[in-house]
Amino acid sequence: MNQMSNLNTAIRFVKGLLKRPMRASEDIKLRMLQHRLLHDLTYRLPSSARKDIFIGFKEWKRIVSRKQLTPDHSPNVPFILVSTSNQADIAREYISKNTSTKTLNVLVREELSVPQFPFRFHRFAFRISLQCLFDSRRLNLSLLIREVVEWNAIESALVKFNSNQFFDFTPFEKDSNTLAFLLIEKEIHVTKIPSPGPLFEHHTFMIADEVVFSSAYQLEELPGFKHWYVKEFSNWPPEQHMRYASHYENVPLPPKNIIGFYSHGEWIRRKDGHADFGMGKGIQENELFLLNSLKTFLEKHTEFQLIIFPHPKERKDKEFESHYTSLFKGTSTSIAPLDMKSSDTFFKVNVGVMAYSTLLFERLSMGYKTFIGTNFQTSFPLEGSPLKNLCLSDYESLEAALILANEETEKEFFERCRLEKYPLKEFLGQKVAEIQK
């Protein structure tokens, strides 16, 4: 099948999903694919696109203007899909470290295109663009224009280079399950690799041959997912683990009286117009709660020091230093220098606090004491999860928790908080099949 007919097939499939609301008696997978394509969270466009009636025409122009690249792929080896080119190396390293495969081809979503666009595609794009003029779902609808092109480019690369194994590092995208559905129908083995964070936001519905877990919390979530069409599971270390593991070979112990605040940079995300939905709800409020509480704590307990680990997004903003220095004026607070990378230096602070970050799961996997700000109540963490023992919802609980944890060993802390399965060695030894029973 040539590339043009592949694209026509993808367009027909999408049109079939969109042509009408599906009845409850119809295939549950197809009903959920339709819902996800039209309603699921996506970060590929700014939240302002929801009000842009011309967003369909803009997406049409963007995808046909994409430069056609000719990457040098190797035949008969697996393909990896990443969002941007700066993720390519870490994806290759991660797969190579955790499988027997050492040669891999990488596809970058934002670089995928086709040599030519058939008339059927332009007719489809025009129809979607017109619908975006009046449909409140315009953000999700407009992305279909680029998504069908990306599906086609991915399938064509797999066929051209005779590969039947596909690793998806972008399973959080709204079209990931549709892509997996199409590839599995072509007898291509699809492995999805979510980040170490909670699965509930993007992954309550999953189509894949295999899913890789990278945190103990994800195993706690699994029994609650009723629409997972997955054949096998694997437990791997967090994605970045091989890049910081060497710093912990001698299990360095942190100094007492030093607290670390790990920022999600939510104030910068809001400032830049990122959508405030999904896990974003409550993060800024909880970060403000933590910062204000930590200031009060440091003023009262002057023997403690605070190190702030800014998010990379914050460091790009000229106001980020004043944002923190003005808040913590008069306290023993410093901002971690650029060369003090968060995941390389967990042992530099005795107790870490954050509202939310994948660093939470990385820090716990390395066995270091950590707390979560939850003054603004969200659905994370799950009821019954040991992570509930790390939640700080008011100043009094924060003060008591920091003082107690400061005097405990890491072993004592993890046992008291029932986190014995969170360190990496214990997590990797858990059997997913047993959890599903």
Side-chain angles (χ1 to χ4, degrees), residues 118-396:
F119 176 73
R120 188 186 187 102
F121 167 77
H122 291 295
R123 187 170 61 187
F124 169 75
F126 181 64
R127 178 182 173 183
I128 293 293
S129 298
L130 287 179
Q131 189 172 350
C132 289
L133 293 174
F134 58 85
D135 198 311
S136 62
R137 304 168 300 176
R138 60 178 59 89
L139 187 151
N140 281 42
L141 279 167
S142 67
L143 284 172
L144 289 170
I145 297 171
R146 78 166 88 165
E147 288 166 350
V148 295
V149 173
E150 292 168 352
W151 304 341
N152 173 62
I154 292 164
E155 184 180 337
S156 297
L158 287 159
V159 171
K160 180 179 178 180
F161 292 93
N162 195 33
S163 176
N164 62 1
Q165 193 168 8
F166 178 73
F167 292 92
D168 189 359
F169 275 80
T170 69
F172 51 86
E173 298 292 1
K174 73 180 182 70
D175 66 319
S176 175
N177 285 311
T178 303
L179 174 60
F181 181 88
L182 295 171
L183 294 181
I184 290 171
E185 280 201 331
K186 301 291 184 181
E187 298 185 343
I188 293 166
H189 187 277
V190 175
T191 299
K192 290 190 177 181
I193 305 177
S195 70
L199 296 168
F200 76 87
E201 184 170 8
H202 298 288
H203 306 299
T204 54
F205 168 51
M206 182 78 82
I207 295 176
D209 290 297
E210 179 183 19
V211 172
V212 171
F213 296 114
S214 54
S215 72
Y217 183 74
Q218 293 175 337
L219 301 184
E220 296 170 13
E221 292 182 283
L222 183 58
F225 299 143
K226 307 305 180 187
H227 298 293
W228 270 42
Y229 304 94
V230 181
K231 297 175 184 176
E232 55 186 315
F233 304 91
S234 297
N235 291 1
W236 293 4
E239 186 179 304
Q240 301 279 344
H241 177 259
M242 65 266 190
R243 295 202 166 183
Y244 56 75
S246 62
H247 297 278
Y248 301 92
E249 289 176 354
N250 297 321
V251 195
L253 294 176
K256 282 189 176 183
N257 296 356
I258 298 184
I259 304 165
F261 172 75
Y262 297 90
S263 174
H264 189 257
E266 195 62 22
W267 67 280
I268 287 290
R269 297 170 194 267
R270 304 275 181 95
K271 182 179 175 183
D272 291 345
H274 291 200
D276 176 22
F277 55 171
M279 279 296 293
K281 287 181 179 177
I283 292 179
Q284 186 174 36
E285 291 78 2
N286 283 328
E287 287 201 323
L288 287 172
F289 155 69
L290 284 175
L291 292 170
N292 289 323
S293 297
L294 286 169
K295 180 185 179 183
T296 301
F297 181 85
L298 293 169
E299 290 172 339
K300 184 175 179 181
H301 302 277
T302 55
E303 71 275 20
F304 282 84
Q305 301 174 43
L306 175 68
I307 301 176
I308 295 170
F309 293 85
H311 191 278
K313 289 181 182 292
E314 290 178 275
R315 292 191 183 273
K316 297 176 184 178
D317 190 283
K318 61 183 180 181
E319 298 177 11
F320 100 89
E321 288 195 25
S322 60
H323 175 75
Y324 289 115
T325 55
S326 61
L327 178 61
F328 286 98
K329 185 177 181 180
T331 66
S332 183
T333 300
S334 61
I335 297 174
L338 267 173
D339 60 355
M340 196 174 178
K341 189 176 177 182
S342 300
S343 54
D344 291 348
T345 56
F346 289 143
F347 55 87
K348 294 288 187 180
V349 302
N350 192 21
V351 183
V353 295
M354 63 193 78
Y356 173 78
S357 171
T358 54
L359 285 169
L360 165 68
F361 305 98
E362 293 177 326
R363 188 173 163 88
L364 291 174
S365 76
M366 300 311 294
Y368 290 97
K369 295 174 278 189
T370 311
F371 288 107
I372 311 165
T374 56
N375 181 255
F376 184 99
Q377 294 296 315
T378 67
S379 55
F380 170 78
L382 286 169
E383 288 297 330
S385 169
L387 291 189
K388 280 288 187 181
N389 298 320
L390 307 182
C391 292
L392 309 175
S393 58
D394 53 52
Y395 174 75
E396 290 72 21

